[in-house]
Amino acid sequence: MPNFLLIPDSFKGSMSSGEVCERMERGIRRVYPQAGVRSVPVADGGEGTVDAFLAALGGEKRFVEVSGPFGEKIPAFYGWLANGTAVVEMAACAGLPQVEGMKNPEKTTTYGVGELLLEAASRGARKIILGLGGSCTNDGGCGAAAACGVRFYDASGKAFLPTGGTLTEVAAIDVSARNPLLDGVEIVTMCDIDNPLFGPEGAAFVFAPQKGADAAMVARLDAGLQHLSHTLQKMGIAISKLPGAGAAGGMGGGMAAFWGSRLQMGIDAVLDAVSLETLLKDTDMVFTGEGRLDTQSLRGKVVLGVSRRVRPFGVPVVAIVGDVEGDVSAVYAEGITAVFSTNRRAVPFSEAQRTCREDLDAVMENLMRFIDSARRHPLRWQQ
């Protein structure tokens, strides 16, 4: 019996990556009931990241009380994988759902994220995967750093907790007091964007509006991130040109500056964690996918990330996507064997969304029937 490896992203607004895996497997088993199927659901670092890792690798969700976006105590969680790695998603305590109706990136903090990092380290984690995504903050990671012992001082020498609106008041930073619990802990930061810390393509201008910032606030937030960068530059820490520094309100830059964390594409973090090379040894075909395959996908999202890692092993990679937009023929040179859209009737997303589950089921079953037929009845030029 054939062995299949499923590594899809979610179909945004329609199905989680876990549900996509379930339906892909269902389609496979309609034709090959005894097939070997291994599922690796993928999340982009935002909400659902912990659940995706737990589904792929096993483990448990651990609950703890930490500081919320405005400093209030809230229930949060992190994932503890079977191999002793911890997975933290910043959206668990600094996410947009927690500030619904009161968005203000000048006031919100990532302090709780730092508390989650410390909690995981105190429980013995020697590696922590941090997912960036869905944040309501713009503090450059200073809140999380403060929770871990980094001290920020204003011009008068008074220590304070910087937020997005007070970054320009940071006159000095003392990283020597960082909690030793994190010494020797490898922290990998999942970051799927390459935006710089500040400027027209930076954290404030691109992402702050969705967090509640108007044009004037965006300008102030950008100035704060520039000031933070210049202050760190004086300390010999350069993040102004670091790709991904602008992720999650500058959290990408903060993770690099205060923890020396490497920023890694989310799909690569997932594939490293599940030991892709080992899984491929017995795999006959890989199925991946995402809600829409377009030119943005070519920058290294899940479909391309999977194909690039699988290509050296010569295993076919098939992409099942909700829709295709633009010329994406370049994916074939990156290792994709074939692309199939579930939008069988070529209808708008609002309509396709209503039948996306049934459409995915149908495409998978038809594809498996074709594969089985080709196996049982080789084409003449193969004989």
Side-chain angles (χ1 to χ4, degrees), residues 42 46 81 93 107 113 130 137-138 157 160 163 177 180 212 231 256 300 326:
V42 176
L81 305 183
C93 60
K107 301 292 186 183
V113 182
L130 173 65
T137 55
N138 205 91
F160 75 108
T163 61
T231 303

Side-chain angles (χ1 to χ4, degrees), residues 150-160 162 169-174 177 231:
V150 176
R151 295 171 183 165
F152 298 86
Y153 299 94
D154 63 17
S156 68
K158 181 181 178 181
F160 75 108
E169 298 175 24
V170 176
I173 303 173
D174 179 9
T231 303

Side-chain angles (χ1 to χ4, degrees), residues 107-334:
K107 301 292 186 183
T108 49
T109 179
T110 56
Y111 197 91
V113 182
E115 292 177 311
L116 285 175
L117 295 175
L118 285 177
E119 174 67 19
S122 72
R123 297 293 183 176
R126 304 314 298 164
K127 179 177 180 178
I128 300 174
I129 299 172
L130 173 65
L132 305 187
S135 77
C136 63
T137 55
N138 205 91
D139 69 355
C142 290
C148 294
V150 176
R151 295 171 183 165
F152 298 86
Y153 299 94
D154 63 17
S156 68
K158 181 181 178 181
F160 75 108
L161 173 62
T163 61
T166 59
L167 288 179
T168 54
E169 298 175 24
V170 176
I173 303 173
D174 179 9
V175 298
S176 66
R178 199 189 76 170
N179 196 311
L181 270 175
L182 292 165
D183 292 349
V185 177
E186 178 189 5
I187 302 179
V188 176
T189 301
M190 293 173 63
C191 176
D192 278 357
I193 63 171
D194 56 6
N195 299 71
L197 186 63
F198 56 84
E201 299 299 319
F205 278 98
V206 176
F207 303 109
Q210 70 193 46
K211 303 175 184 183
D214 59 18
M217 185 187 292
V218 165
R220 295 194 299 269
L221 292 169
D222 187 69
L225 291 171
Q226 288 191 52
H227 179 80
L228 174 64
S229 177
H230 295 155
T231 303
L232 289 167
Q233 184 73 48
K234 295 175 183 177
M235 301 166 56
I237 302 174
I239 58 172
S240 63
K241 297 182 180 179
L242 176 68
M251 188 70 173
M255 291 306 300
F258 301 120
W259 287 270
S261 175
R262 58 189 171 95
L263 309 186
Q264 187 177 34
M265 292 295 292
I267 184 57
D268 285 323
V270 172
L271 297 180
D272 286 345
V274 300
S275 300
L276 175 68
E277 290 75 10
T278 300
L279 294 180
L280 288 174
K281 289 179 180 178
D282 299 318
T283 296
D284 297 297
M285 182 171 290
V286 174
F287 284 105
T288 185
E290 57 191 48
R292 182 171 67 181
L293 188 67
D294 55 21
T295 53
Q296 280 293 106
S297 304
L298 302 178
R299 300 182 67 177
K301 295 294 186 179
V302 170
V303 167
L304 264 292
V306 170
S307 65
R308 287 168 178 167
R309 292 284 293 269
V310 174
R311 182 172 54 181
F313 297 86
V315 178
V317 179
V318 176
I320 309 295
V321 300
D323 208 350
V324 179
E325 182 176 293
D327 181 7
V328 295
S329 57
V331 301
Y332 301 116
E334 297 290 348

